[in-house]
Amino acid sequence: MASYDVFKDLAIIIVFAKAFGILARKLKAPQVVGEIIAGLIIGPSLLHLVEPTDFLVQMAEIGVILLMFSAGLETNLRDLLKTGPLAFLIACAGVLIPLLGGTALYACYYGFDGIGTDSFYRAVFIGTIMTATSVSITVQTLRELGRLKGKVGTTILSAAIIDDVIGIIVLTFVIGFKNPESRPATVIINTLLFFAGSIVLGFIVFKLFKRVDGMFPHTRRIPILGLALCLILSYCAEHFFGIADITGAYVAGIILCSCKDSDYIAEKMDINSYMLFGPIFFASIGLKTSLANVNGDILLFSVFFVIVALAAKIVGCGLISRLCRFSWPDSLKIGIGMMTRGEVALIVSQKGLSVGLLTPEYFTCVILLIITSSVVTPIVLKVLYSKYPGETAVR
Amino acid sequence: MASYDVFKDLAIIIVFAKAFGILARKLKAPQVVGEIIAGLIIGPSLLHLVEPTDFLVQMAEIGVILLMFSAGLETNLRDLLKTGPLAFLIACAGVLIPLLGGTALYACYYGFDGIGTDSFYRAVFIGTIMTATSVSITVQTLRELGRLKGKVGTTILSAAIIDDVIGIIVLTFVIGFKNPESRPATVIINTLLFFAGSIVLGFIVFKLFKRVDGMFPHTRRIPILGLALCLILSYCAEHFFGIADITGAYVAGIILCSCKDSDYIAEKMDINSYMLFGPIFFASIGLKTSLANVNGDILLFSVFFVIVALAAKIVGCGLISRLCRFSWPDSLKIGIGMMTRGEVALIVSQKGLSVGLLTPEYFTCVILLIITSSVVTPIVLKVLYSKYPGETAVR
């Protein structure tokens, strides 16, 4: 392969990804679905235009890191603390019920070999994929309905962020425990050490950034240092603590999210993401998804997977909301609002693939879940709001 | 090597490159020099923190393409045509004399084996490296002196752009002729075909972009399509015409430089460049520069190289300016203003390295040339302008 062949690969990926992304948006589906399908079409499954080379795999890895860093950066810690306890409870239920549901589904479908076996971890991993909410579709819908700032809206937003954090912690544990060399105690200690270290380091780095930010606001060095922090934490998480690199990138984002220039950093990261690394990541999911191994069995499992994933969020988040004195209709709105999945589910799946907890054909389930939830949520939310326009009072 | 090791490499590169870049600017040297020195320090020559892996080499390749694309995008075709004939003559002399000077220097220093031999092409390549002007330092100085819009200023600017174009054409021929399988006629035909094809394609693409631009101004698809065009032309240049990929990228930039949104595209490209790809490219020059092979011989050659490169531009551009009825002081100003070298000289050297026309230790010459010219030019220009403040009248 000549060195310039990589230009061809990249050109094909970004053109197809963008075209199918726009097409998907026109069809009211999320853009990432279009990008994944672009990858499927140009990849070994169909047209054979692009093969998943080492270079593309590493570019995709950087893409994931940048996406998780951005997700962390966009967190609003202050809002989070305000809606705190209530959202925290809902988020916990929104993680726990899907985690149990997904595990149970896999165990029922493929049989249960006992705790600690390989198939047990695979089952738990299926549950883990179901945990992370991606509320961008919900936010879009609520904004259109003029309900984003209401109590239901803010609760959903906060709960979704907290549930990402909890989801990442669950992922960290699952991957840690799966490693045959690791002992449970070591995993727990490592994880605690990493988060404790992150808090200390985060505090120092935050102070430092605040100073640099004050001295040189809106200069190039701010996003560059941010990117460096993201890369360093990603590396350290994996290398020293055996924790997923995406956890490190996410933590780096959270550390910087309260900086004055966090929007500035996020903006620059976003450009890097959408121009090159993002499309490469999502298309690479398509490239790796082998349609050859998709059979009736997997398809049937996918259908159950989607049903359980959606139902678990509605039941988990909805019931807890009702217990927290939301009205029945509002509880249902929260449950529905929390059921959308997106990028993070893909990122988690990708991580599972790289540590051997998932095989490529299961991407089908995740893609189906993203499509279904993104199509169903807006429709149901609109119906609910037009039928029950009243909302539980704020406070 | 674990997949996450790449994060460590990238973090080290961008932190060191940025730190040394800032340091260089504080010392009034160009930032790229700092970035190259950063590469030298972290690389195999000194600290062994980063090795030039395949991945980094390919990232650096993308970096070069992006830099050349940006250079093309920033061209102002209209201004170029206005100052046209005069600037064209100066640019031709500014390419020809350094090309001959560099070739002669190498032939005198290392001996001459006859036209068509390997050492002949190496000699011509040394000349080629000397051709490309990089006027950013000159522009900065003229701006400080309030002389950028004067006749000398606009002439320098236009001549520098034209001399990049001619330099790229020379490079194209040198690389084409060097290939043992290629016959001179084929090289000439291929080159003509490429540029003719680029004009036809350029016209169509330009019209197309104008339409997309009108329909969706300032949307993400504009820079994405621009990047795609850059990648496609880079690939096609090498693959179908045997022409340097950087020529393709530069042509892509020229095609889009008159678009309404060209600044918008350039801005987004710039962010991709300075965040990641630019530092990786310049640092990778440092990584590849092996100090181990630098001996007294090379150092002596470097001194001659710098002298010839600077003198050739002053003589070539200065004399032609005088012939074009500029006053003697103004002719000297133009000669001095044209002698700065920068990124493009590095990009050309890098290309020579990859096709085997140059060995890494010659990077020393180029780096020395960039440093010397960037330090000397502003000082001399300031002295000249304070001694001869009058300027040849416009028209």
PDB file of all heavy atoms in Angstrom, chain A residues 8-35:
ATOM      1  N   LYS A   8      -7.022   8.467  -0.205  1.00  0.00           N
ATOM      2  CA  LYS A   8      -8.205   7.949  -0.883  1.00  0.00           C
ATOM      3  C   LYS A   8      -9.213   7.442   0.156  1.00  0.00           C
ATOM      4  O   LYS A   8     -10.392   7.801   0.110  1.00  0.00           O
ATOM      5  CB  LYS A   8      -7.811   6.806  -1.827  1.00  0.00           C
ATOM      6  CG  LYS A   8      -8.936   6.341  -2.726  1.00  0.00           C
ATOM      7  CD  LYS A   8      -8.540   5.112  -3.525  1.00  0.00           C
ATOM      8  CE  LYS A   8      -8.411   3.907  -2.623  1.00  0.00           C
ATOM      9  NZ  LYS A   8      -8.085   2.668  -3.338  1.00  0.00           N
ATOM     10  N   ASP A   9      -8.717   6.626   1.095  1.00  0.00           N
ATOM     11  CA  ASP A   9      -9.597   6.094   2.140  1.00  0.00           C
ATOM     12  C   ASP A   9     -10.318   7.225   2.867  1.00  0.00           C
ATOM     13  O   ASP A   9     -11.541   7.190   3.050  1.00  0.00           O
ATOM     14  CB  ASP A   9      -8.789   5.299   3.174  1.00  0.00           C
ATOM     15  CG  ASP A   9      -8.295   3.982   2.614  1.00  0.00           C
ATOM     16  OD1 ASP A   9      -8.675   3.653   1.470  1.00  0.00           O
ATOM     17  OD2 ASP A   9      -7.536   3.285   3.307  1.00  0.00           O
ATOM     18  N   LEU A  10      -9.538   8.223   3.282  1.00  0.00           N
ATOM     19  CA  LEU A  10     -10.132   9.313   4.061  1.00  0.00           C
ATOM     20  C   LEU A  10     -11.154  10.082   3.225  1.00  0.00           C
ATOM     21  O   LEU A  10     -12.237  10.413   3.722  1.00  0.00           O
ATOM     22  CB  LEU A  10      -9.042  10.272   4.549  1.00  0.00           C
ATOM     23  CG  LEU A  10      -8.071   9.710   5.583  1.00  0.00           C
ATOM     24  CD1 LEU A  10      -7.062  10.773   6.002  1.00  0.00           C
ATOM     25  CD2 LEU A  10      -8.816   9.199   6.805  1.00  0.00           C
ATOM     26  N   ALA A  11     -10.817  10.328   1.960  1.00  0.00           N
ATOM     27  CA  ALA A  11     -11.749  11.075   1.107  1.00  0.00           C
ATOM     28  C   ALA A  11     -13.058  10.309   0.960  1.00  0.00           C
ATOM     29  O   ALA A  11     -14.146  10.872   1.115  1.00  0.00           O
ATOM     30  CB  ALA A  11     -11.125  11.334  -0.261  1.00  0.00           C
ATOM     31  N   ILE A  12     -12.959   9.009   0.677  1.00  0.00           N
ATOM     32  CA  ILE A  12     -14.175   8.209   0.513  1.00  0.00           C
ATOM     33  C   ILE A  12     -15.001   8.231   1.796  1.00  0.00           C
ATOM     34  O   ILE A  12     -16.213   8.438   1.777  1.00  0.00           O
ATOM     35  CB  ILE A  12     -13.817   6.756   0.128  1.00  0.00           C
ATOM     36  CG1 ILE A  12     -13.182   6.729  -1.263  1.00  0.00           C
ATOM     37  CG2 ILE A  12     -15.059   5.864   0.176  1.00  0.00           C
ATOM     38  CD1 ILE A  12     -12.661   5.374  -1.667  1.00  0.00           C
ATOM     39  N   ILE A  13     -14.315   8.045   2.936  1.00  0.00           N
ATOM     40  CA  ILE A  13     -15.036   8.004   4.210  1.00  0.00           C
ATOM     41  C   ILE A  13     -15.765   9.313   4.465  1.00  0.00           C
ATOM     42  O   ILE A  13     -16.961   9.322   4.766  1.00  0.00           O
ATOM     43  CB  ILE A  13     -14.079   7.691   5.381  1.00  0.00           C
ATOM     44  CG1 ILE A  13     -13.635   6.235   5.310  1.00  0.00           C
ATOM     45  CG2 ILE A  13     -14.750   7.975   6.725  1.00  0.00           C
ATOM     46  CD1 ILE A  13     -12.603   5.852   6.350  1.00  0.00           C
ATOM     47  N   ILE A  14     -15.050  10.450   4.339  1.00  0.00           N
ATOM     48  CA  ILE A  14     -15.738  11.687   4.718  1.00  0.00           C
ATOM     49  C   ILE A  14     -16.844  12.066   3.735  1.00  0.00           C
ATOM     50  O   ILE A  14     -17.876  12.569   4.145  1.00  0.00           O
ATOM     51  CB  ILE A  14     -14.781  12.876   5.004  1.00  0.00           C
ATOM     52  CG1 ILE A  14     -13.959  13.283   3.797  1.00  0.00           C
ATOM     53  CG2 ILE A  14     -13.855  12.584   6.163  1.00  0.00           C
ATOM     54  CD1 ILE A  14     -13.063  14.474   4.085  1.00  0.00           C
ATOM     55  N   VAL A  15     -16.665  11.774   2.446  1.00  0.00           N
ATOM     56  CA  VAL A  15     -17.725  12.099   1.490  1.00  0.00           C
ATOM     57  C   VAL A  15     -18.970  11.235   1.746  1.00  0.00           C
ATOM     58  O   VAL A  15     -20.082  11.747   1.886  1.00  0.00           O
ATOM     59  CB  VAL A  15     -17.241  11.922   0.037  1.00  0.00           C
ATOM     60  CG1 VAL A  15     -18.414  11.979  -0.923  1.00  0.00           C
ATOM     61  CG2 VAL A  15     -16.224  13.003  -0.313  1.00  0.00           C
ATOM     62  N   PHE A  16     -18.771   9.927   1.859  1.00  0.00           N
ATOM     63  CA  PHE A  16     -19.914   9.037   2.083  1.00  0.00           C
ATOM     64  C   PHE A  16     -20.566   9.321   3.440  1.00  0.00           C
ATOM     65  O   PHE A  16     -21.786   9.364   3.548  1.00  0.00           O
ATOM     66  CB  PHE A  16     -19.492   7.568   2.001  1.00  0.00           C
ATOM     67  CG  PHE A  16     -19.513   7.025   0.608  1.00  0.00           C
ATOM     68  CD1 PHE A  16     -18.511   7.323  -0.294  1.00  0.00           C
ATOM     69  CD2 PHE A  16     -20.562   6.215   0.179  1.00  0.00           C
ATOM     70  CE1 PHE A  16     -18.526   6.830  -1.585  1.00  0.00           C
ATOM     71  CE2 PHE A  16     -20.595   5.714  -1.122  1.00  0.00           C
ATOM     72  CZ  PHE A  16     -19.568   6.024  -2.008  1.00  0.00           C
ATOM     73  N   ALA A  17     -19.736   9.477   4.475  1.00  0.00           N
ATOM     74  CA  ALA A  17     -20.285   9.701   5.808  1.00  0.00           C
ATOM     75  C   ALA A  17     -21.138  10.963   5.819  1.00  0.00           C
ATOM     76  O   ALA A  17     -22.242  10.976   6.368  1.00  0.00           O
ATOM     77  CB  ALA A  17     -19.170   9.795   6.844  1.00  0.00           C
ATOM     78  N   LYS A  18     -20.619  12.033   5.196  1.00  0.00           N
ATOM     79  CA  LYS A  18     -21.363  13.291   5.205  1.00  0.00           C
ATOM     80  C   LYS A  18     -22.667  13.138   4.415  1.00  0.00           C
ATOM     81  O   LYS A  18     -23.733  13.557   4.871  1.00  0.00           O
ATOM     82  CB  LYS A  18     -20.500  14.398   4.595  1.00  0.00           C
ATOM     83  CG  LYS A  18     -21.071  15.795   4.759  1.00  0.00           C
ATOM     84  CD  LYS A  18     -21.084  16.230   6.211  1.00  0.00           C
ATOM     85  CE  LYS A  18     -22.098  17.331   6.461  1.00  0.00           C
ATOM     86  NZ  LYS A  18     -22.332  17.571   7.875  1.00  0.00           N
ATOM     87  N   ALA A  19     -22.573  12.517   3.216  1.00  0.00           N
ATOM     88  CA  ALA A  19     -23.759  12.378   2.374  1.00  0.00           C
ATOM     89  C   ALA A  19     -24.847  11.572   3.092  1.00  0.00           C
ATOM     90  O   ALA A  19     -26.004  11.993   3.158  1.00  0.00           O
ATOM     91  CB  ALA A  19     -23.384  11.710   1.056  1.00  0.00           C
ATOM     92  N   PHE A  20     -24.458  10.433   3.675  1.00  0.00           N
ATOM     93  CA  PHE A  20     -25.460   9.610   4.351  1.00  0.00           C
ATOM     94  C   PHE A  20     -25.914  10.246   5.662  1.00  0.00           C
ATOM     95  O   PHE A  20     -27.039  10.024   6.093  1.00  0.00           O
ATOM     96  CB  PHE A  20     -24.927   8.194   4.571  1.00  0.00           C
ATOM     97  CG  PHE A  20     -25.005   7.346   3.343  1.00  0.00           C
ATOM     98  CD1 PHE A  20     -24.054   7.430   2.346  1.00  0.00           C
ATOM     99  CD2 PHE A  20     -26.080   6.486   3.152  1.00  0.00           C
ATOM    100  CE1 PHE A  20     -24.137   6.673   1.195  1.00  0.00           C
ATOM    101  CE2 PHE A  20     -26.192   5.723   2.001  1.00  0.00           C
ATOM    102  CZ  PHE A  20     -25.212   5.815   1.021  1.00  0.00           C
ATOM    103  N   GLY A  21     -25.030  11.006   6.274  1.00  0.00           N
ATOM    104  CA  GLY A  21     -25.416  11.735   7.481  1.00  0.00           C
ATOM    105  C   GLY A  21     -26.522  12.725   7.179  1.00  0.00           C
ATOM    106  O   GLY A  21     -27.517  12.810   7.909  1.00  0.00           O
ATOM    107  N   ILE A  22     -26.354  13.466   6.080  1.00  0.00           N
ATOM    108  CA  ILE A  22     -27.372  14.450   5.691  1.00  0.00           C
ATOM    109  C   ILE A  22     -28.674  13.746   5.331  1.00  0.00           C
ATOM    110  O   ILE A  22     -29.761  14.146   5.740  1.00  0.00           O
ATOM    111  CB  ILE A  22     -26.868  15.303   4.495  1.00  0.00           C
ATOM    112  CG1 ILE A  22     -25.695  16.181   4.948  1.00  0.00           C
ATOM    113  CG2 ILE A  22     -27.985  16.155   3.921  1.00  0.00           C
ATOM    114  CD1 ILE A  22     -25.038  16.965   3.836  1.00  0.00           C
ATOM    115  N   LEU A  23     -28.540  12.632   4.602  1.00  0.00           N
ATOM    116  CA  LEU A  23     -29.711  11.851   4.215  1.00  0.00           C
ATOM    117  C   LEU A  23     -30.477  11.374   5.453  1.00  0.00           C
ATOM    118  O   LEU A  23     -31.716  11.492   5.530  1.00  0.00           O
ATOM    119  CB  LEU A  23     -29.259  10.649   3.385  1.00  0.00           C
ATOM    120  CG  LEU A  23     -30.346   9.885   2.655  1.00  0.00           C
ATOM    121  CD1 LEU A  23     -30.890  10.702   1.500  1.00  0.00           C
ATOM    122  CD2 LEU A  23     -29.819   8.537   2.141  1.00  0.00           C
ATOM    123  N   ALA A  24     -29.723  10.862   6.430  1.00  0.00           N
ATOM    124  CA  ALA A  24     -30.354  10.364   7.653  1.00  0.00           C
ATOM    125  C   ALA A  24     -31.125  11.479   8.344  1.00  0.00           C
ATOM    126  O   ALA A  24     -32.254  11.287   8.798  1.00  0.00           O
ATOM    127  CB  ALA A  24     -29.297   9.785   8.601  1.00  0.00           C
ATOM    128  N   ARG A  25     -30.496  12.673   8.395  1.00  0.00           N
ATOM    129  CA  ARG A  25     -31.154  13.777   9.081  1.00  0.00           C
ATOM    130  C   ARG A  25     -32.435  14.172   8.350  1.00  0.00           C
ATOM    131  O   ARG A  25     -33.430  14.530   8.975  1.00  0.00           O
ATOM    132  CB  ARG A  25     -30.211  14.960   9.194  1.00  0.00           C
ATOM    133  CG  ARG A  25     -30.306  15.599  10.561  1.00  0.00           C
ATOM    134  CD  ARG A  25     -29.233  16.617  10.782  1.00  0.00           C
ATOM    135  NE  ARG A  25     -28.979  17.388   9.571  1.00  0.00           N
ATOM    136  CZ  ARG A  25     -27.911  18.180   9.423  1.00  0.00           C
ATOM    137  NH1 ARG A  25     -27.006  18.232  10.373  1.00  0.00           N
ATOM    138  NH2 ARG A  25     -27.746  18.859   8.326  1.00  0.00           N
ATOM    139  N   LYS A  26     -32.382  14.099   7.028  1.00  0.00           N
ATOM    140  CA  LYS A  26     -33.580  14.423   6.243  1.00  0.00           C
ATOM    141  C   LYS A  26     -34.703  13.451   6.574  1.00  0.00           C
ATOM    142  O   LYS A  26     -35.877  13.792   6.539  1.00  0.00           O
ATOM    143  CB  LYS A  26     -33.270  14.328   4.736  1.00  0.00           C
ATOM    144  CG  LYS A  26     -32.383  15.464   4.254  1.00  0.00           C
ATOM    145  CD  LYS A  26     -33.060  16.298   3.170  1.00  0.00           C
ATOM    146  CE  LYS A  26     -32.445  17.683   3.097  1.00  0.00           C
ATOM    147  NZ  LYS A  26     -31.533  17.849   1.970  1.00  0.00           N
ATOM    148  N   LEU A  27     -34.336  12.185   6.873  1.00  0.00           N
ATOM    149  CA  LEU A  27     -35.328  11.166   7.204  1.00  0.00           C
ATOM    150  C   LEU A  27     -35.642  11.159   8.695  1.00  0.00           C
ATOM    151  O   LEU A  27     -36.213  10.205   9.218  1.00  0.00           O
ATOM    152  CB  LEU A  27     -34.823   9.787   6.772  1.00  0.00           C
ATOM    153  CG  LEU A  27     -34.540   9.622   5.276  1.00  0.00           C
ATOM    154  CD1 LEU A  27     -33.837   8.302   5.009  1.00  0.00           C
ATOM    155  CD2 LEU A  27     -35.849   9.703   4.493  1.00  0.00           C
ATOM    156  N   LYS A  28     -35.205  12.218   9.406  1.00  0.00           N
ATOM    157  CA  LYS A  28     -35.477  12.386  10.846  1.00  0.00           C
ATOM    158  C   LYS A  28     -34.788  11.331  11.718  1.00  0.00           C
ATOM    159  O   LYS A  28     -35.178  11.082  12.850  1.00  0.00           O
ATOM    160  CB  LYS A  28     -36.991  12.353  11.155  1.00  0.00           C
ATOM    161  CG  LYS A  28     -37.821  13.301  10.310  1.00  0.00           C
ATOM    162  CD  LYS A  28     -37.914  14.665  10.955  1.00  0.00           C
ATOM    163  CE  LYS A  28     -38.689  15.639  10.073  1.00  0.00           C
ATOM    164  NZ  LYS A  28     -38.119  16.981  10.074  1.00  0.00           N
ATOM    165  N   ALA A  29     -33.772  10.678  11.171  1.00  0.00           N
ATOM    166  CA  ALA A  29     -32.976   9.741  11.982  1.00  0.00           C
ATOM    167  C   ALA A  29     -31.702  10.468  12.401  1.00  0.00           C
ATOM    168  O   ALA A  29     -31.339  11.475  11.807  1.00  0.00           O
ATOM    169  CB  ALA A  29     -32.645   8.504  11.166  1.00  0.00           C
ATOM    170  N   PRO A  30     -31.014   9.984  13.451  1.00  0.00           N
ATOM    171  CA  PRO A  30     -29.786  10.688  13.845  1.00  0.00           C
ATOM    172  C   PRO A  30     -28.703  10.546  12.769  1.00  0.00           C
ATOM    173  O   PRO A  30     -28.601   9.511  12.097  1.00  0.00           O
ATOM    174  CB  PRO A  30     -29.350   9.996  15.127  1.00  0.00           C
ATOM    175  CG  PRO A  30     -30.310   8.921  15.398  1.00  0.00           C
ATOM    176  CD  PRO A  30     -31.306   8.845  14.307  1.00  0.00           C
ATOM    177  N   GLN A  31     -27.869  11.592  12.675  1.00  0.00           N
ATOM    178  CA  GLN A  31     -26.836  11.645  11.649  1.00  0.00           C
ATOM    179  C   GLN A  31     -25.850  10.464  11.777  1.00  0.00           C
ATOM    180  O   GLN A  31     -25.398   9.930  10.770  1.00  0.00           O
ATOM    181  CB  GLN A  31     -26.088  12.963  11.806  1.00  0.00           C
ATOM    182  CG  GLN A  31     -25.340  13.358  10.558  1.00  0.00           C
ATOM    183  CD  GLN A  31     -24.982  14.836  10.580  1.00  0.00           C
ATOM    184  OE1 GLN A  31     -25.648  15.648  11.205  1.00  0.00           O
ATOM    185  NE2 GLN A  31     -23.920  15.178   9.881  1.00  0.00           N
ATOM    186  N   VAL A  32     -25.547  10.064  13.022  1.00  0.00           N
ATOM    187  CA  VAL A  32     -24.566   8.989  13.198  1.00  0.00           C
ATOM    188  C   VAL A  32     -25.021   7.706  12.532  1.00  0.00           C
ATOM    189  O   VAL A  32     -24.198   6.932  12.033  1.00  0.00           O
ATOM    190  CB  VAL A  32     -24.265   8.696  14.683  1.00  0.00           C
ATOM    191  CG1 VAL A  32     -23.551   9.861  15.316  1.00  0.00           C
ATOM    192  CG2 VAL A  32     -25.500   8.335  15.449  1.00  0.00           C
ATOM    193  N   VAL A  33     -26.337   7.479  12.504  1.00  0.00           N
ATOM    194  CA  VAL A  33     -26.841   6.273  11.849  1.00  0.00           C
ATOM    195  C   VAL A  33     -26.456   6.300  10.373  1.00  0.00           C
ATOM    196  O   VAL A  33     -25.998   5.298   9.804  1.00  0.00           O
ATOM    197  CB  VAL A  33     -28.364   6.153  12.022  1.00  0.00           C
ATOM    198  CG1 VAL A  33     -28.918   5.015  11.197  1.00  0.00           C
ATOM    199  CG2 VAL A  33     -28.709   5.962  13.486  1.00  0.00           C
ATOM    200  N   GLY A  34     -26.582   7.485   9.762  1.00  0.00           N
ATOM    201  CA  GLY A  34     -26.187   7.629   8.366  1.00  0.00           C
ATOM    202  C   GLY A  34     -24.712   7.334   8.185  1.00  0.00           C
ATOM    203  O   GLY A  34     -24.317   6.658   7.218  1.00  0.00           O
ATOM    204  N   GLU A  35     -23.903   7.810   9.112  1.00  0.00           N
ATOM    205  CA  GLU A  35     -22.458   7.616   8.986  1.00  0.00           C
ATOM    206  C   GLU A  35     -22.079   6.142   9.136  1.00  0.00           C
ATOM    207  O   GLU A  35     -21.190   5.646   8.442  1.00  0.00           O
ATOM    208  CB  GLU A  35     -21.726   8.488  10.011  1.00  0.00           C
ATOM    209  CG  GLU A  35     -21.985   9.975   9.755  1.00  0.00           C
ATOM    210  CD  GLU A  35     -21.203  10.911  10.666  1.00  0.00           C
ATOM    211  OE1 GLU A  35     -20.627  10.445  11.665  1.00  0.00           O
ATOM    212  OE2 GLU A  35     -21.164  12.124  10.372  1.00  0.00           O
TER     213      GLU A  35
END
